[in-house]
Amino acid sequence: MIKSFVDKKLTFRDMDPDVSLKAAADMSSAEIIETVSASSLRGRGGAGFPTGAKWKFCSRAEGDQKYVVCNADEGEPGTFKDRVILTRFPHLVFAGMSIAARAVGATRGLLYLRGEYTYLREGLMAALQKRRDDGLLGDEIMGVDGFEFDIEIRMGSGAYVCGEETALIESLEGHRGEPRNRPPFTADTGMNAMPSVVNNVETFAWAAAIMEKGPEWFRVVGTDQSTGFKLFSVSGDIDRPGVYELPLGITVQELLAAVGGENAKAAVIGGASGRVVSQAEFNRKVCYEDVPTGGAVIVFGPGRDMLDVAENFLEFMCEESCGQCTPCRLGNTKLLECVRMLQEGTCSAAYLREIVELGESIHLASKCGLGQSSGNIFLSIVENFREEIMGRALGAVEPATLRS
Amino acid sequence: MVLLTERDRIRQSLSELVERYGNTRSSLLPILQDIQRQHYHISEYAMQVVADLLGIHPVEVFAVVSFYSFLDFKPRGRFVIRVCRTMCCHMQGKDRVARQLETDLGIKFGETTPDGRFTLEYANCIGMCDLGPALLVNDRVYTEVTPNEVHHIIEECRKVFGAHAVQSQEVGL
């Protein structure tokens, strides 16, 4: 068992997955979708698409075999909440998937688990078997005629981009994990060209919680456009790294206070596809309408070198770009080259301006969400830390990059 | 008496895999993952046989193997050590752990020891950001690794190769 620090007041602890599933079993498809829509739950993986709307599209789409897919390809740097959810609350996730299946009329479920989490597989398989034995998966779930659903676990093989929903479907179908053009959307043309619901692990868990407690209970927390609590994976230069449950709409400052990171100089919110928030912006809100995130918060203390941060994230992007479109594949290598020039102090202001324009082109011209946001960390560092990154000399003493 | 050649044996075991996962394109990844686990790589011959059995072009299989970082053409070691190189582990001192691993194993990242026992690789974020530096040894995860502990991790793996040791798969590594 991995000893991650987990917030004591997690809502998921008090939930009963069986009660959620029973509530859904007693409802019609339209009623379930209405309940989830009324809660204004939005995708917890980071993109924030309204879950109710997604389910509605899928329930209306025509297809002989619909699928419910759980995205457990938690590859975003700085995120580990799904690992904790899958370890501690697998039944809540599976109940959420079953509820989605009832809502859209799907009979097959797939959980796409990242290859790095292979050690979680056995526990998840055991949980699935228990559900089958208890009549919570299979035919006539909870004795309801026609409620038929089962879940299969599929493994990833070490590709960050497979966390993008269309790439994930490509991978499930046995192809390279290259994102597709959208539209068509997965709700209508997903797995094997059939209507599919693809949601993050945490989204399914919240959907199950909403079925138990009702949409009003969920809506009272958060902002108008970002309702509910959210799990945050917080790491970096703070006193208590771990998983926290906090309301959406919390300011960065409040979040840092909750985790013991008050003296931070900056934080990356949203992982490699997020952005760097500097001290001046610590009053901004973490929610879909301001600083969106899938839950990853990496905090940097006063001694951190922001160029080192930019370099690490760009190395990540260069390696993990699927290579399908040029702006992301080649653009990021040019950005990385520029970071190395800045480190050596050989990047002119004019060249930096050109590279920033290139970063903006990557945002405009990439096909998938990951490609579009691949240059964001670099761009926000250049925007906020110009004084720190310009005019360096090779071999000069730079801010410490190692803790102690 | 008919002697089975290595190739017949591979074809036989791949047919069994195809039977188990089903003769569809979406079985490709699970099949390849099993080959990788059993043979520590996916040979050109294996790719051709899988393509043949699934009724697709071999280049389709090649394209998939080349895409995923956990699938390899070249034989990898019995133990693949993957050190997380992403930001949080980087901040928590992954460089020193990496250096000690290189020194103790006598190989660089991306290489396999000549005896075929260990492969050293970097991984991108393995989801242990709160407990770094972290690394994976095959499917097993090690957290908060210190340079001094590297030696113990390697020794733990080496025990598998002792004269009376059980096979690595049996101990779940």
Side-chain angles (χ1 to χ4, degrees):
Chain A
M1 192 74 176
I2 300 134
K3 311 175 296 267
S4 279
F5 170 82
V6 180
D7 197 339
K8 283 204 175 49
K9 53 177 212 282
L10 284 198
T11 305
F12 293 159
R13 281 186 214 272
D14 305 325
M15 295 294 129
D16 184 345
D18 295 357
V19 174
S20 314
L21 190 56
K22 184 79 183 85
D26 293 339
M27 283 185 190
S28 70
S29 154
E31 285 169 332
I32 299 173
I33 292 172
E34 210 168 287
T35 308
V36 175
S37 300
S39 73
S40 306
L41 172 65
R42 294 174 69 169
R44 274 359 192 193
F49 192 83
T51 307
K54 196 181 255 188
W55 292 12
K56 194 175 203 170
F57 292 142
C58 188
S59 80
R60 284 185 181 166
E62 299 206 0
D64 304 332
Q65 170 73 66
K66 294 185 184 177
Y67 294 89
V68 170
V69 180
C70 179
N71 183 346
D73 192 67
E74 185 176 44
E76 196 60 67
T79 319
F80 45 93
K81 60 169 178 83
D82 291 346
R83 157 170 64 82
V84 170
I85 297 174
L86 290 170
T87 313
R88 297 179 185 224
F89 316 105
H91 288 282
L92 199 61
V93 178
F94 294 145
M97 289 176 75
S98 310
I99 292 162
R102 178 146 177 87
V104 304
T107 51
R108 281 193 68 190
L110 297 160
L111 182 134
Y112 187 91
L113 185 66
R114 64 187 306 219
E116 291 84 343
Y117 286 175
T118 302
Y119 54 88
L120 295 179
R121 191 176 178 208
E122 216 168 295
L124 292 172
M125 299 276 264
L128 283 176
Q129 192 51 49
K130 183 163 188 317
R131 293 185 78 74
R132 284 184 202 113
D133 296 343
D134 295 348
L136 301 172
L137 281 178
D139 304 329
E140 284 190 22
I141 293 170
M142 292 195 142
V144 177
D145 193 33
F147 187 3
E148 179 195 338
F149 183 63
D150 208 330
I151 300 170
E152 193 185 322
I153 296 176
R154 290 293 196 86
M155 301 306 299
S157 256
Y160 163 73
V161 70
C162 287
E164 200 279 344
E165 64 172 8
T166 58
L168 187 148
I169 299 243
E170 284 287 309
S171 179
L172 282 173
E173 288 180 359
H175 295 102
R176 292 162 69 87
E178 291 172 347
R180 296 174 179 172
N181 278 320
R182 295 188 299 179
F185 293 97
T186 49
D188 147 89
T189 310
M191 178 74 188
N192 296 333
M194 289 292 155
S196 312
V197 160
V198 185
N199 278 135
N200 175 257
V201 172
E202 190 190 341
T203 313
F204 281 120
W206 282 116
I210 289 163
M211 292 312 290
E212 183 182 338
K213 296 281 183 180
E216 285 312 313
W217 162 82
F218 190 74
R219 284 189 66 92
V220 293
V221 178
T223 69
D224 282 351
Q225 289 174 58
S226 312
T227 54
F229 282 107
K230 167 96 192 74
L231 297 199
F232 288 91
S233 323
V234 196
S235 58
D237 300 325
I238 52 174
D239 297 340
R240 298 175 297 279
V243 173
Y244 292 81
E245 181 178 300
L246 298 164
L248 282 171
I250 190 175
T251 63
V252 178
Q253 187 71 57
E254 288 164 344
L255 189 148
L256 290 172
V259 301
E262 288 91 341
N263 67 344
K265 144 184 179 182
V268 164
I269 298 193
S273 59
R275 61 190 303 282
V276 174
V277 175
S278 67
Q279 227 163 19
E281 302 171 294
F282 279 1
N283 57 349
R284 290 185 65 175
K285 288 177 173 168
V286 184
C287 55
Y288 299 110
E289 60 267 33
D290 195 355
V291 185
T293 174
V297 178
I298 306 174
V299 182
F300 303 109
R304 294 290 169 196
D305 175 0
M306 295 316 282
L307 267 188
D308 193 45
V309 175
E311 185 188 24
N312 190 280
F313 279 109
L314 281 171
E315 279 174 352
F316 176 89
M317 278 300 173
C318 289
E319 244 183 55
E320 291 296 338
S321 168
C322 79
Q324 184 178 197
C325 47
T326 320
C328 171
R329 184 185 67 240
L330 292 181
N332 282 306
T333 61
K334 295 305 283 184
L335 300 194
L336 180 57
E337 223 175 78
C338 176
V339 169
R340 303 243 158 92
M341 285 168 76
L342 283 163
Q343 285 172 334
E344 292 170 11
T346 57
C347 179
S348 69
Y351 186 68
L352 184 60
R353 193 170 61 236
E354 271 180 40
I355 288 294
V356 166
E357 276 171 21
L358 175 67
E360 285 155 3
S361 307
I362 295 175
H363 181 72
L364 284 174
S366 292
K367 187 167 165 180
C368 76
L370 299 184
Q372 285 160 18
S373 51
S374 57
N376 285 1
I377 299 258
F378 171 81
L379 292 178
S380 46
I381 286 177
V382 172
E383 191 188 318
N384 293 318
F385 296 94
R386 282 188 91 90
E387 292 297 345
E388 180 181 326
I389 64 177
M390 303 291 282
R392 293 204 179 181
L394 187 60
V397 180
E398 304 294 357
T401 54
L402 276 178
R403 181 190 284 180
S404 76
Chain B
M1 193 173 87
V2 184
L3 287 174
L4 270 181
T5 64
E6 177 70 8
R7 291 197 155 187
D8 292 332
R9 205 177 54 75
I10 291 174
R11 181 171 273 275
Q12 176 64 31
S13 84
L14 295 186
S15 303
E16 283 164 19
L17 281 178
V18 171
E19 197 146 309
R20 192 165 132 213
Y21 291 110
N23 178 20
T24 58
R25 177 73 198 241
S26 67
S27 309
L28 181 57
L29 212 47
I31 291 169
L32 294 175
Q33 285 162 347
D34 273 16
I35 301 172
Q36 176 77 38
R37 198 170 307 120
Q38 286 165 21
H39 302 277
Y40 314 110
H41 77 301
I42 301 165
S43 67
E44 281 184 5
Y45 180 70
M47 285 190 270
Q48 289 176 44
V49 173
V50 171
D52 187 22
L53 292 170
L54 293 181
I56 54 179
H57 198 281
V59 81
E60 292 273 337
V61 181
F62 179 88
V64 169
V65 176
S66 66
F67 184 83
Y68 295 95
S69 58
F70 285 12
L71 304 177
D72 295 292
F73 304 119
K74 276 196 264 170
R76 298 274 130 178
R78 184 71 96 59
F79 293 102
V80 180
I81 301 178
R82 294 189 170 94
V83 180
C84 178
R85 64 185 290 174
T86 311
M87 201 62 219
C88 303
C89 286
H90 176 63
M91 293 201 291
Q92 292 170 96
K94 70 110 173 56
D95 282 342
R96 290 184 56 202
V97 171
R99 199 175 309 137
Q100 194 60 46
L101 274 164
E102 283 185 334
T103 311
D104 282 4
L105 291 171
I107 50 172
K108 296 281 173 204
F109 275 81
E111 293 178 356
T112 301
T113 52
D115 59 7
R117 289 179 176 186
F118 294 95
T119 295
L120 196 50
E121 276 179 4
Y122 278 118
N124 288 318
C125 192
I126 61 170
M128 287 296 155
C129 322
D130 53 335
L131 299 167
L135 56 85
L136 285 167
V137 179
N138 292 354
D139 294 341
R140 186 177 284 190
V141 67
Y142 291 84
T143 55
E144 296 176 292
V145 180
T146 64
N148 182 39
E149 275 165 20
V150 162
H151 171 72
H152 302 291
I153 294 172
I154 294 172
E155 280 310 303
E156 217 172 290
C157 298
R158 281 216 170 99
K159 278 181 199 151
V160 171
F161 300 112
H164 303 289
V166 287
Q167 290 299 300
S168 65
Q169 274 131 335
E170 289 166 33
V171 293
L173 275 171

